[in-house]
Amino acid sequence: MPQPTAPVHRLVTSPAGRTHLVEQGSGPLVLLVHGFPESWYSWRHQLPALAAAGYRAVAIDVRGYGRSSKPAALEEYRMLDLVADNVAVVEALGERSAVIVGHDWGATIAATSALVRPDVFRAVGLLSVPYTPPGGPKPSEVFAQMGGGEEFYVSYFQRPGRAEAEIEPDVRGWLAGFYAALSADTMPGPGAPDPHFVGPGGTLRDRFPAGRLPAWLDEGDLDVYAGEFERTGLTGALNRYRSMDRDWADLADYAGAPLTQPSLFVGGGEDASTVWLSDAIEAYPGTLPGLTASHLLDGCGHWIQQERPEEINRLLTDWLASLKG
């Protein structure tokens, strides 16, 4: 097996202004896209494993995060802008095509990239968040109806400045609680108030577990994440949630469209994303006709490639090896 080279940090020109990436290895390009509230660092376990398996692994900071540009205007965080950033990264690296893999919001970004630019993204891997084709009711209307007398976190994030006022006075503590709330070993037990919802007059943090980090996250890892968000603030990251209705309009021509490229899905058995979207997983024969592997990991939460790095590395490299070209 080839020995992975050391990871290299780079800034490349993109529609965002610049996109920060970390690359390791050589061979076919695999583009890794993170979710909320993370960064390229969430792929720290996958970069050397993919490089050792003979791939050029590249993890980006999505626009609004980390060292990538943070446009000021909310409308510059729509999904089609993020797709354009991904295409620009592939081109800046001197490549013509890539396999794209995403986690959380990154899964939706990866899926949309493959849907809109199949000429660039020849296969797509989705972690934690299943593929749902564009279309259906307007997202803001759907989320407003969830939770009864409580407010769903996506709705809570909509008003600029509101979530920032909760998070930014104690970024490190908030992140620790949020990560713990969605990790299999520290999430609230059955019957406890759901941390995805906000009670009347409350905050998300009210329902976070306290006092223990999940096993996958040590103090040094938390320092990395907190340091980035303390420097950048949370607005760029939260603007992804605030662009969902724009995406709904922008992608109207793709309503109901399947993803036809070879695809992979891996979800956590304890992750609300896979539970709530179980119908989307059942619909894969129609929505992901190119699906070559689908896995639900028992006892795993939302931060799947960090909670189960060795298992995810094996599933990714096995799937990549099965692809042609």
Side-chain angles (χ1 to χ4, degrees):
M1 297 294 291
Q3 293 300 308
T5 57
V8 176
H9 291 254
R10 295 177 58 183
L11 290 171
V12 300
T13 301
S14 68
R18 65 184 183 279
T19 294
H20 170 248
L21 59 86
V22 180
E23 67 173 308
Q24 190 167 5
S26 60
L29 177 61
V30 180
L31 188 65
L32 305 169
V33 187
H34 67 80
F36 175 90
E38 300 177 278
S39 73
W40 76 267
Y41 189 74
S42 66
W43 300 104
R44 63 194 178 278
H45 303 296
Q46 284 67 53
L47 287 167
L50 293 177
Y55 299 96
R56 186 182 188 185
V58 174
I60 65 169
D61 280 337
V62 173
R63 75 163 64 189
Y65 285 83
R67 304 182 205 175
S68 291
S69 292
K70 299 157 191 64
L74 174 55
E75 57 268 22
E76 293 189 69
Y77 289 85
R78 60 210 320 151
M79 185 63 72
L80 290 180
D81 290 328
L82 305 184
V83 171
D85 289 343
N86 290 339
V87 172
V89 168
V90 174
E91 293 174 349
L93 293 172
E95 303 283 356
R96 301 175 67 178
S97 68
V99 174
I100 188 167
V101 179
H103 169 255
D104 182 76
W105 259 121
T108 305
I109 296 168
T112 310
S113 298
L115 182 67
V116 174
R117 293 300 305 269
D119 56 316
V120 177
F121 300 105
R122 61 187 182 91
V124 58
L126 310 175
L127 304 186
S128 297
V129 175
Y131 176 62
T132 56
K138 184 180 288 189
S140 60
E141 296 173 356
V142 174
F143 298 132
Q145 295 171 7
M146 296 177 65
E150 298 182 334
E151 187 175 16
F152 191 48
Y153 78 101
V154 178
S155 297
Y156 180 76
F157 284 166
Q158 291 303 304
R159 190 173 75 236
R162 183 186 185 192
E164 290 92 326
E166 173 187 343
I167 302 169
E168 291 179 357
D170 178 21
V171 169
R172 194 177 193 279
W174 193 93
L175 290 175
F178 190 75
Y179 296 146
L182 306 186
S183 298
D185 61 331
T186 48
M187 64 175 55
D194 192 332
H196 296 88
F197 292 87
V198 177
T203 65
L204 273 173
R205 187 172 186 161
D206 295 340
R207 298 181 176 184
F208 292 169
R212 184 163 70 98
L213 293 180
W216 62 267
L217 183 74
D218 65 26
E219 297 288 348
D221 297 326
L222 183 57
D223 285 342
V224 172
Y225 284 124
E228 289 291 82
F229 287 112
E230 286 169 351
R231 181 175 57 80
T232 65
L234 271 292
T235 297
L238 290 164
N239 279 346
R240 176 83 295 274
Y241 292 94
R242 297 164 183 162
S243 299
M244 297 178 76
D245 282 351
R246 291 182 177 87
D247 301 336
W248 177 79
D250 288 344
L251 297 170
D253 289 346
Y254 294 90
L259 270 180
T260 59
Q261 294 97 316
S263 56
L264 165 75
F265 174 72
V266 189
E270 303 300 319
D271 186 0
S273 297
T274 57
V275 175
W276 291 339
L277 295 173
S278 59
D279 289 349
I281 296 173
E282 292 176 3
Y284 278 170
T287 61
L288 286 179
L291 184 71
T292 58
S294 181
H295 308 271
L296 278 180
L297 306 186
D298 290 338
C300 185
H302 182 68
W303 317 106
I304 190 164
Q305 76 269 34
Q306 299 177 88
E307 290 188 51
R308 299 281 186 86
E310 292 182 1
E311 197 164 359
I312 292 298
N313 292 347
R314 178 180 58 79
L315 293 173
L316 281 176
T317 53
D318 286 352
W319 174 66
L320 288 166
S322 74
L323 302 177
K324 296 181 180 180

